[in-house]
Amino acid sequence: MSLNRKLATRLLVYGIAIGFALLSAFPFFWMVITAFKANRDLYNPTNNPFLFNEPPTLDHIRLLFFNTPYVRWLGNTSLVGIIVVLITVVLAVPAGYSLARLIGRWGERLAIMIFLAYLIPPTLLFIPLSRVISLLGLQDSLWSLVLVYPSFTVPFCTWLMMGFFKSIPLELEDAALVDGCSRLGALVRIIFPISISGILTTVIFAFTLSTQEFVYALTFISSSAHKTISVGVPTDLIRGDVFYWGSLMAAALLPSVFIALIYNAFLDRFIAGITGGALK
Amino acid sequence: MEAVAPKPQVRRFDFRHVVDSERLLGILMLAPAVLFVFLLTGVPFFYAIYLSLNTTIAGRFDYSFVGLQNYIDILQSSLFRRSLANTFIFTIISQVLVLVLAKILALALANQFRGRNLLRFLILLPWAAPIALSTIGWKWMFDSQYSVVNWLLRALHIIGPYDFPQWLGEPHLAMAAVIFVHVWRMLPFATVILLAGMTSIPQDVMDAAAVDGANFWTRLVHILIPLMLPIMSVALLFGVVFTFTDMGVVYVLTRGGPPVNATHVLASWAFQIGIISNDLGQGAAISLFLFPVLLIASIFMLRLASRTDVGV
């Protein structure tokens, strides 16, 4: 390839990548601008919206944190997330190991069935589940989410853990077994300790999946005090017809960036989980 | 003990013993997860079918069996047919756009260049952020008076200085807005999957083709795309399932309007009927219209999995 063509290719690659990055990130950039803009500036259509025509303000942030249940929603979301993570780890880690090593021929088929359960969308089941929740007396309670969220985190994380366990060399367990460990002993003493990074992936994805969830939370939770951020922000920060855009954007920005950062760090494992054998 | 007995026999005996107890251990370790997931997906699914054959409202637990009446009522409703059509329109248009754009973006990102990690992070944002929150951002950007999108279009002289397109106030523009947000959201996901598929293609295959004189387009059409077909189907199947069954974008962006029901999709219409209007039977019946598409997607996944012999 001539130097000129190389340069042209390089420019094209940069152009495409930067163009898409701008498109992807623009709403978040816009949230930042809006969150710090004084109302008088925000609601003046003749102003250039990209500039701070008035000095930036912390009013929206203050309103969000001190005059709305936002902090409470953050707390609710974290609480649900943490308990869901615990349930998911307890159920999915042993299940993943079992599918990878113990079940044998059936493992493969069962694993795919379990993975397909991850594809069952909340919008297919939210109506019957809303009745189950009210039968259990859990309507408008965070426990309804704690109960239901593992139905999609467990299949996904079982699949991830199965892939992870398959990547551990068999010799390691065999050595332990030969040394007189029982299978369970080998698991607890050898396998689980070296699987910490795999389990951490499960923790991250169970947490992000439960934070992103919208439909179940919208259906089961009605009072403001029990909402999660995903539902509280789009439904409760709008009073009648009045949108508190500055506060809304700040409210949307914080969790989005937080989740995107942890997500990004574990992206490769997510991809490996999703694509699995289609790459081989 | 091992030193005395003939080796093969000992091994065989040990092996069988281990397998038996291992299978038991395996079942014990797997059962809680399978049971939990089945109770929360399989059981509600059959309950949804039962609900759809009855008339029953939220808060009361009496059922009256009506057979297929709910389905007949639904199919006769023009509002339902509109939301069914919308669901297909949103899914098909957005997924075609996503596949084409993701392919372009993945081809670009497959190159090594400075700042690639930062760009990858920025491109990933729409997929990682909770959809209900990022859609709120779009709702503000499509605002009737203070839309930054309109401001930009005016500044670039694409529209006149006094034009204020009502993105969320006019049916066709609202449809376009919903599709746009779906594309924006699914693009990163499809891109990273395609990217993973691309890097798994052995470089020497590409190099050999290049040496043989194949240009970029020949390589793309004859090598890259055929080799990537399985991974592209994975991206497409996930995209279809996630878009077809989504209600977050429509619910937050337009609430099904404007003015009424212009942008409703199956899922948001089921929510409207089943939860807001309390008609659980009809709501469940509407939701169940999502099932055939899910079933087809699952069958494709299974076929894909069996062809590639390892997994999905």
Side-chain angles (χ1 to χ4, degrees):
Chain A
M1 237 193 284
S2 72
L3 203 63
N4 261 344
R5 271 201 66 182
K6 242 180 188 160
L7 192 69
T9 314
R10 198 126 206 98
L11 281 177
L12 187 68
V13 163
Y14 264 113
I16 292 171
I18 291 174
F20 277 107
L22 283 179
L23 181 73
S24 295
F26 187 78
F28 302 97
F29 166 71
W30 205 240
M31 288 175 188
V32 176
I33 298 236
T34 308
F36 295 105
K37 223 174 206 190
N39 272 335
R40 248 190 318 173
D41 189 3
L42 213 50
Y43 302 127
N44 182 346
T46 55
N47 280 354
N48 180 334
F50 289 90
L51 303 176
F52 281 95
N53 304 282
E54 308 249 348
T57 172
L58 287 175
D59 284 354
H60 303 306
I61 314 275
R62 222 172 282 137
L63 177 79
L64 181 67
F65 277 89
F66 298 112
N67 297 337
T68 72
Y70 187 65
V71 176
R72 173 107 204 213
W73 296 336
L74 287 177
N76 289 345
T77 309
S78 317
L79 183 71
V80 170
I82 289 166
I83 305 176
V84 168
V85 163
L86 289 176
I87 295 174
T88 306
V89 168
V90 167
L91 291 174
V93 173
Y97 185 80
S98 169
L99 289 171
R101 288 283 199 266
L102 301 174
I103 291 290
R105 254 182 320 126
W106 276 86
E108 213 81 300
R109 281 158 191 278
L110 261 172
I112 293 170
M113 298 301 282
I114 288 176
F115 184 72
L116 288 179
Y118 164 68
L119 286 183
I120 299 174
T123 45
L124 182 66
L125 301 178
F126 69 108
I127 289 175
L129 277 175
S130 75
R131 175 149 276 193
V132 172
I133 292 300
S134 68
L135 272 172
L136 295 173
L138 292 179
Q139 68 269 59
D140 198 25
S141 154
L142 289 175
W143 293 107
S144 63
L145 306 182
V146 168
L147 176 72
V148 170
Y149 284 1
S151 68
F152 55 83
T153 59
V154 167
F156 186 72
C157 293
T158 300
W159 181 263
L160 275 184
M161 286 313 295
M162 181 187 78
F164 184 83
F165 285 128
K166 276 187 176 168
S167 71
I168 295 178
L170 268 174
E171 291 78 23
L172 239 121
E173 286 159 88
D174 288 347
L177 290 175
V178 167
D179 284 350
C181 259
S182 68
R183 177 63 86 160
L184 210 58
L187 260 178
V188 174
R189 273 182 231 138
I190 316 265
I191 304 304
F192 287 160
I194 60 167
S195 306
I196 292 296
S197 74
I199 295 172
L200 192 62
T201 316
T202 293
V203 169
I204 295 295
F205 284 112
F207 190 81
T208 51
L209 285 174
S210 80
T211 313
Q212 291 168 329
E213 207 285 326
F214 176 69
V215 176
Y216 288 141
L218 182 70
T219 311
F220 303 154
I221 308 289
S222 48
S223 67
S224 202
H226 296 146
K227 283 184 176 168
T228 57
I229 20 173
S230 261
V231 169
V233 172
T235 58
D236 267 28
L237 283 184
I238 304 159
R239 297 251 178 277
D241 277 345
V242 183
F243 287 77
Y244 295 95
W245 284 118
S247 305
L248 268 168
M249 291 305 110
L253 182 69
L254 294 176
S256 298
V257 171
F258 174 71
I259 293 172
L261 281 173
I262 49 177
Y263 206 91
N264 194 54
F266 286 82
L267 179 69
D268 294 332
R269 289 180 186 254
F270 178 81
I271 300 305
I274 287 278
T275 53
L279 289 182
K280 309 227 164 157
Chain B
M1 168 179 88
E2 266 181 45
V4 183
K7 248 186 173 175
Q9 276 176 14
V10 169
R11 264 204 186 153
R12 207 159 153 205
F13 172 74
D14 265 2
F15 184 65
R16 211 189 280 160
H17 176 74
V18 167
V19 163
D20 281 348
S21 67
E22 286 203 335
R23 181 154 292 173
L24 186 68
L25 183 65
I27 291 170
L28 284 176
M29 285 169 70
L30 185 62
V34 170
L35 215 65
F36 192 94
V37 171
F38 179 74
L39 281 177
L40 284 164
T41 54
V43 172
F45 176 70
F46 291 110
Y47 189 36
I49 295 175
Y50 178 74
L51 282 174
S52 77
L53 300 174
N54 285 272
T55 295
T56 177
I57 59 170
R60 308 222 335 244
F61 292 97
D62 47 324
Y63 304 86
S64 56
F65 185 78
V66 294
L68 294 176
Q69 194 56 46
N70 282 328
Y71 291 93
I72 294 167
D73 290 348
I74 288 168
L75 286 169
Q76 280 171 347
S77 145
S78 64
L79 297 178
F80 168 79
R81 291 200 301 264
R82 179 75 249 166
S83 58
L84 183 66
N86 283 346
T87 311
F88 276 98
I89 293 170
F90 289 153
T91 307
I92 293 169
I93 298 182
S94 69
Q95 288 316 301
V96 169
L97 288 173
V98 163
L99 260 198
V100 173
L101 294 176
K103 185 83 210 180
I104 295 171
L105 184 52
L107 279 171
L109 287 180
N111 296 280
Q112 283 298 334
F113 54 85
R114 254 166 178 275
R116 184 171 169 272
N117 284 340
L118 175 68
L119 289 181
R120 196 185 77 164
F121 171 71
L122 293 178
I123 286 166
L124 203 71
L125 272 170
W127 172 252
I131 183 67
L133 298 183
S134 50
T135 309
I136 274 280
W138 282 104
K139 195 176 169 76
W140 165 232
M141 288 165 58
F142 286 133
D143 187 78
S144 54
Q145 285 182 68
Y146 310 108
S147 165
V148 67
V149 177
N150 288 352
W151 192 90
L152 276 173
L153 292 176
R154 283 197 297 271
L156 296 170
H157 297 287
I158 294 171
I159 58 175
Y162 303 107
D163 283 344
F164 286 80
Q166 300 293 304
W167 289 102
L168 306 177
E170 207 248 297
H172 283 100
L173 289 181
M175 297 278 286
V178 171
I179 290 171
F180 185 83
V181 175
H182 271 306
V183 172
W184 176 80
R185 159 103 237 259
M186 292 303 298
L187 181 63
F189 174 76
T191 305
V192 286
I193 289 188
L194 293 190
L195 200 55
M198 230 173 312
T199 43
S200 76
I201 292 174
Q203 190 57 44
D204 45 329
V205 174
M206 298 305 279
D207 288 345
V211 168
D212 288 349
N215 67 18
F216 173 78
W217 293 108
T218 322
R219 273 177 290 158
L220 183 71
V221 173
H222 291 286
I223 300 175
L224 207 49
I225 289 183
L227 277 178
M228 286 184 63
L229 223 47
I231 200 79
M232 283 169 83
S233 339
V234 169
L236 184 66
L237 283 171
F238 275 102
V240 165
V241 168
F242 288 145
T243 314
F244 196 81
T245 63
D246 179 73
M247 68 172 260
V249 171
V250 165
Y251 186 87
V252 174
L253 206 58
T254 67
R255 292 277 158 114
V260 189
N261 203 37
T263 55
H264 259 305
V265 286
L266 280 177
S268 64
W269 189 238
F271 185 82
Q272 183 70 31
I273 298 291
I275 303 296
I276 296 183
S277 312
N278 275 339
D279 189 338
L280 289 178
Q282 273 203 21
I286 297 168
S287 276
L288 283 170
F289 274 83
L290 298 173
F291 185 67
V293 168
L294 282 172
L295 189 69
I296 293 168
S298 305
I299 290 169
F300 269 106
M301 288 251 184
L302 285 172
R303 285 187 49 186
L304 212 61
S306 63
R307 228 183 350 159
T308 49
D309 83 11
V310 179
V312 176

